[in-house]
Amino acid sequence: MSLKHSYTLLAPLYDLIVNGPTAGMRRNSLRRLAETTDQTILVSGIGTGLDIPELPAGPAYIGLDLTTAMLRRAQRRVGHRNDIQLHCGDVMHLPYADEQFDSILMHLILAVVPVPERALQEATRVVRPGGRILILDKFLRHGERAPVRRALNSVIRHIATRTDVVLEPLLAQCPQLQLIEEIRLAPGGWFHQIELRKTE
């Protein structure tokens, strides 16, 4: 099953599955966008737009997602806001010019796409030098065995999300990125809040 197909099917259930367990983490992550007036921010993998109510006014946002079913739900959350545009596209092949964005928000997307290093490389390409990539996602620790999560990955990766992604190999593919902050969150430190900066 392709990612586009599976998330088209999951769209009606996505909020019910994801919102409760991740709402607090996403809200805390979005606080990092405070005082970003006049920036252009890409929300890479905006999904059903769960983050939209918490996006602070000031920046101009472009939200991109692979499936129109998810974007239809995101559009309802946009409502009358005129600072958010929604685009259909692939985070592994972003339809944007180099160095176009001041910041990129990647919530719960690197552990979803088939090739997470490609998604991070594309984010690196389109963010301006000195710009930030703000990530919230599930990562295994470097060298962590996690046999249950790795075994689960062989099935669940074809339906909804990966459970075997490790951050360090992704960063190795993006030498322009500097790790500014990494915070391990509950439950069990599986979710990480990460800030990366693109070097000049």
Side-chain angles (χ1 to χ4, degrees):
M1 185 182 298
S2 72
L3 188 65
K4 187 172 185 178
H5 186 199
S6 64
Y7 271 84
T8 297
L9 295 176
L10 284 171
L13 302 173
Y14 184 84
D15 291 3
L16 182 64
I17 297 168
V18 173
N19 191 33
T22 67
M25 291 185 286
R26 288 185 292 100
R27 190 177 304 114
N28 187 62
S29 175
L30 289 169
R31 290 192 184 105
R32 298 179 291 178
L33 295 179
E35 302 178 5
T36 53
T37 305
D38 299 326
Q39 286 199 4
T40 302
I41 297 175
L42 173 64
V43 185
S44 188
I46 197 168
T48 61
L50 288 173
D51 292 329
I52 288 173
E54 303 292 336
L55 293 177
Y61 299 97
I62 293 179
L64 178 129
D65 203 84
L66 185 62
T67 65
T68 55
M70 301 289 268
L71 288 171
R72 279 195 296 270
R73 285 161 173 79
Q75 186 62 56
R76 296 172 195 158
R77 289 190 163 99
V78 171
H80 298 293
R81 290 186 66 162
N82 59 10
D83 58 348
I84 303 172
Q85 298 179 41
L86 299 180
H87 297 167
C88 191
D90 187 344
V91 301
M92 296 187 295
H93 304 280
L94 292 173
Y96 306 116
D98 295 355
E99 301 180 359
Q100 185 172 339
F101 298 96
D102 298 293
S103 298
I104 299 181
L105 186 69
M106 304 184 82
H107 275 187
L108 309 178
I109 190 65
L110 288 176
V112 167
V113 295
V115 189
E117 58 269 29
R118 180 61 181 164
L120 189 58
Q121 286 170 337
E122 278 291 274
T124 304
R125 178 181 67 80
V126 302
V127 74
R128 296 185 176 116
R132 300 185 300 166
I133 300 176
L134 304 175
I135 296 169
L136 173 67
D137 221 321
K138 303 180 298 297
F139 295 99
L140 295 180
R141 296 182 183 90
H142 184 64
E144 184 178 8
R145 295 179 62 186
V148 174
R149 293 179 194 173
R150 293 183 186 276
L152 181 63
N153 183 68
S154 63
V155 175
I156 199 171
R157 69 180 297 171
H158 300 293
I159 303 169
T161 188
R162 295 180 56 165
T163 57
D164 69 338
V165 179
V166 180
L167 179 64
E168 286 81 1
L170 304 187
L171 293 179
Q173 299 297 314
C174 302
Q176 289 176 281
L177 295 181
Q178 178 184 5
L179 178 62
I180 302 299
E181 181 181 62
E182 180 179 10
I183 302 172
R184 296 188 178 116
L185 308 172
W190 194 4
F191 282 86
H192 293 209
Q193 180 178 294
I194 296 160
E195 178 177 344
L196 307 173
R197 191 173 299 277
K198 185 175 178 178
T199 56
E200 300 289 344

